[in-house]
Amino acid sequence: MRIWLLTWLLLSSPLFGKGEETFIDYDKLDLTVTIKALRSGNQDPSGINNYYFKLTADALPILKEEVKKPFTERLKIERVIGEFGEIEIKSLKNWVPDKKPNPLFSIALSGDVIREIAAETMRKFKVAEDGVSIICRIELFERSKKFGFWGDDLTVGEVTFPIIPETLPHGPRIENREMTITDKLGTQVRLSVVFKYAQEKAASAKTAADNTSTAAPK
């Protein structure tokens, strides 16, 4: 009895509390952003809008003096993942992609890139791993045309989603979601974020819940 009690106390102590599940497995954070539907706005005087999207991952140190600042003023490591979804469309017109997946209207973000910017943030701002937050931004732009030449691109709108939020408990949010970008000029875009391992995580959680509910009473 005494040996069992001693073993339990050791395993439950902070020294042994850092199990594998405490640490983030970045290889499980692969995700894909896809344009599901678009209704064009009325941004370009020509009546034809030239849209494109950009995905950016921001890694922020979770510091007391930083969290209350506006996002644009926060310390961060910014990584532009890339541009995607270039669409030329008439004003106030609906567009949906073909049923067959088209890589032009999707962009992938690997967990390895998330790991890289998390590590860089730890080194640059001298914070621990649980002091790093990862937020993604999807921005919609309209290529501005002036006198037949490309001008300054117009930011139509943006939407953000957390991969590793600042809220506790610290850790990734592997959750598929749908989001929209809208503006006052009639634009509406529907986007999806799909994590490669979200179904696996959901299945594991369901199995754990089932095991708990079916456990025999002691």
Side-chain angles (χ1 to χ4, degrees), residues 85-153:
E86 188 157 344
I87 301 170
E88 183 177 289
I89 184 172
K90 294 179 180 179
S91 298
L92 309 180
K93 189 174 179 65
N94 292 322
W95 172 91
V96 292
D98 295 332
K99 292 183 178 179
K100 184 178 180 180
N102 188 332
L104 295 177
F105 304 120
S106 297
I107 190 168
L109 171 57
S110 72
D112 201 48
V113 171
I114 298 169
R115 176 195 59 76
E116 286 179 1
I117 61 174
E120 186 179 351
T121 303
M122 292 170 64
R123 292 191 301 268
K124 182 172 181 178
F125 301 112
K126 305 295 188 295
V127 294
E129 186 175 8
D130 62 2
V132 177
S133 172
I134 308 289
I135 308 294
C136 278
R137 283 182 288 134
I138 308 169
E139 297 170 281
L140 170 61
F141 295 93
E142 201 274 323
R143 295 193 191 277
S144 177
K145 299 182 290 295
K146 294 181 179 179
F147 307 109
F149 297 94
W150 296 114
D152 295 329
D153 295 344

Side-chain angles (χ1 to χ4, degrees), residues 13-137:
S13 70
L15 180 63
F16 289 88
K18 290 285 185 180
E20 289 185 3
E21 293 185 359
T22 303
F23 299 101
I24 297 171
D25 184 354
Y26 294 93
D27 291 336
K28 300 287 188 180
L29 301 184
D30 295 354
L31 63 89
T32 302
V33 176
T34 302
I35 307 168
K36 306 297 288 186
L38 179 146
R39 200 260 187 176
S40 65
N42 191 29
Q43 286 83 21
D44 200 289
S46 69
I48 298 177
N49 300 306
N50 291 269
Y51 293 124
Y52 69 95
F53 295 79
K54 182 169 73 173
L55 176 64
T56 304
D58 294 308
L60 302 90
I62 306 172
L63 300 170
K64 185 177 181 181
E65 62 273 20
E66 285 290 311
V67 294
K68 293 183 179 180
K69 291 181 180 179
F71 185 83
T72 54
E73 298 177 12
R74 294 278 303 270
L75 295 174
K76 64 176 75 69
I77 299 293
E78 183 180 274
R79 179 72 63 89
V80 176
I81 308 305
E83 297 178 2
F84 68 106
E86 188 157 344
I87 301 170
E88 183 177 289
I89 184 172
K90 294 179 180 179
S91 298
L92 309 180
K93 189 174 179 65
N94 292 322
W95 172 91
V96 292
D98 295 332
K99 292 183 178 179
K100 184 178 180 180
N102 188 332
L104 295 177
F105 304 120
S106 297
I107 190 168
L109 171 57
S110 72
D112 201 48
V113 171
I114 298 169
R115 176 195 59 76
E116 286 179 1
I117 61 174
E120 186 179 351
T121 303
M122 292 170 64
R123 292 191 301 268
K124 182 172 181 178
F125 301 112
K126 305 295 188 295
V127 294
E129 186 175 8
D130 62 2
V132 177
S133 172
I134 308 289
I135 308 294
C136 278
R137 283 182 288 134

